Amino acid sequence: MPLKWKIILINLFEKRIFVHYYLLLLKKDFMRKKIIAGNWKMNKTLPEAILLVNEICQELKARPELINIKDLEIVLAPPFVYLNECYKLIHEFPNVFVASQNCYPEESGAFTGEVSVNMIKSVGAKYIIIGHSERRSYFKEDYLFLARKVLAALKHDMKPIFCIGEVLNEREASQHFEVIRTQLQESLFQLNVVDFEQVIIAYEPVWAIGTGRTASPQQAQEMHAYIRSLIAEKYGDETSQNISLLYGGSCNAQNARELFSMPDVDGGLIGGASLKVQDFITIIESVI
Ligand code: 13P
């Protein structure tokens, strides 16, 4: 074979290998992350918030294994008013971020008392919790309003942590799968695939929130597998494998490891236990 042809063949072969490794790298980047997010809800004064974050930082510094894991993210969601203070305390950690607990979907204007995505982004947050059951029930936030919030978050490159979950009556009437399907279809499944891959979903059965009554690992796994199957149906297998699915609802230092050992549970959205330093750290340790 003439040398010229040999060179062309070698080049092609090398390019193929290059493309192959490039795709592998890309795929690796897309692999779903493990995430532990603490939703502080309406708790703590500013000095208390600073103390809590400082204590969490100290514990993390003493455990470098928790801050050097590429696929683990730790998220703190304090009330709006402390976001920037908390951000300043954590921003040196490569895998610790702050989140707001809510947002308003409009950009700016006469919406007294509301906070826009751009404002949240400007104080250092990277995530926004959207659709928490407390917002759905106390503030009557409906599917469409939540869909608008998700779009607003994505428009500003913020990551929504989108909460879904059934109430006790619905589970007892075996309607939980249907409820979850509707919540996803009506607020998230209008997204294109690129946007959808930015979303983190938190399954929070309402009957487990703040009640001390956790879903069993089997119940959590069953629902997470169902959610992943719906995503696969809508966006394909690869996307469904790339989405992080968190469990929330009375997740604590004692039950976290068993919940996180389930194949489709990628972490947790933690309420009460995220306010106690040692418990929160134990929960983070339970996911790795
Ligand atoms: P608890 O962990 O206190 O049950 O709260 C869960 C929750 O609502 C997190 O968003």
Side-chain angles (χ1 to χ4, degrees):
M1 184 189 296
L3 184 62
K4 194 175 134 195
W5 280 108
K6 271 193 188 156
I7 292 173
I8 288 174
L9 275 179
I10 287 170
N11 267 344
L12 276 176
F13 183 62
E14 280 179 352
K15 267 205 190 108
R16 228 176 54 118
I17 290 186
F18 174 75
V19 168
H20 177 76
Y21 279 112
Y22 181 67
L23 286 176
L24 265 184
L25 274 177
L26 259 164
K27 206 169 158 54
K28 205 160 177 272
D29 259 6
F30 278 139
M31 290 270 282
R32 61 186 192 247
K33 290 192 172 5
K34 293 186 182 301
I35 300 172
I36 300 296
N39 175 9
W40 294 10
K41 308 194 180 184
M42 197 175 73
N43 288 295
K44 303 280 175 196
T45 61
L46 178 61
E48 289 166 351
I50 291 174
L51 183 67
L52 177 56
V53 180
N54 273 333
E55 285 178 352
I56 292 172
C57 289
Q58 257 166 16
E59 295 293 333
L60 290 177
K61 275 186 195 145
R63 294 171 175 76
E65 72 278 10
L66 294 183
I67 36 185
N68 292 319
I69 301 176
K70 187 171 165 283
D71 291 326
L72 168 69
E73 294 198 349
I74 300 163
V75 180
L76 307 177
F80 282 133
V81 280
Y82 315 139
L83 274 173
N84 190 240
E85 284 299 328
C86 294
Y87 169 71
K88 286 188 221 154
L89 296 173
I90 57 89
H91 82 277
E92 277 168 30
F93 292 88
N95 64 340
V96 186
F97 304 97
V98 291
S100 67
Q101 299 172 17
N102 185 25
C103 68
Y104 194 70
E106 295 294 333
E107 291 283 317
S108 61
F111 301 101
T112 302
E114 294 298 329
V115 183
S116 74
V117 173
N118 217 14
M119 294 172 184
I120 295 164
K121 186 175 181 175
S122 75
V123 292
K126 176 177 170 190
Y127 291 90
I128 303 181
I129 298 175
I130 296 175
H132 193 281
S133 65
E134 286 146 22
R135 300 233 40 107
R136 290 178 193 259
S137 65
Y138 301 144
F139 304 99
K140 308 284 174 262
E141 297 192 358
D142 62 16
Y143 302 138
L144 186 62
F145 191 49
L146 298 177
R148 286 175 56 213
K149 292 186 183 202
V150 171
L151 280 175
L154 292 168
K155 183 176 166 202
H156 291 283
D157 292 324
M158 300 284 282
K159 285 178 165 281
I161 299 179
F162 191 79
C163 304
I164 53 179
E166 79 285 356
V167 298
L168 189 58
N169 285 349
E170 291 163 340
R171 178 158 281 261
E172 284 175 348
S174 296
Q175 292 164 346
H176 43 300
F177 293 117
E178 201 183 314
V179 169
I180 293 299
R181 190 176 59 226
T182 308
Q183 290 176 343
L184 288 171
Q185 271 169 353
E186 297 299 317
S187 299
L188 284 189
F189 281 0
Q190 82 287 0
L191 296 173
N192 65 43
V193 63
V194 176
D195 280 346
F196 186 80
E197 287 202 351
Q198 301 308 309
V199 178
I200 292 117
I201 295 175
Y203 169 57
E204 299 205 303
V206 182
W207 47 269
I209 296 178
T211 57
R213 184 181 167 187
T214 324
S216 69
Q218 292 69 28
Q219 285 172 320
Q221 170 57 25
E222 181 184 43
M223 186 56 88
H224 283 220
Y226 176 67
I227 295 167
R228 223 181 276 290
S229 76
L230 293 177
I231 298 170
E233 228 171 72
K234 171 78 186 165
Y235 294 103
D237 273 339
E238 193 172 336
T239 298
S240 85
Q241 290 305 319
N242 287 342
I243 299 288
S244 298
L245 301 182
L246 314 185
Y247 168 79
S250 298
C251 183
N252 58 38
Q254 286 72 45
N255 59 29
R257 190 171 291 282
E258 216 190 331
L259 283 161
F260 301 158
S261 71
M262 295 290 118
D264 286 297
V265 179
D266 305 311
L269 182 54
I270 318 298
S274 73
L275 300 170
K276 300 176 204 140
V277 184
Q278 289 308 329
D279 289 10
F280 191 56
I281 296 292
T282 304
I283 292 170
I284 298 169
E285 287 173 327
S286 307
V287 83
I288 59 171

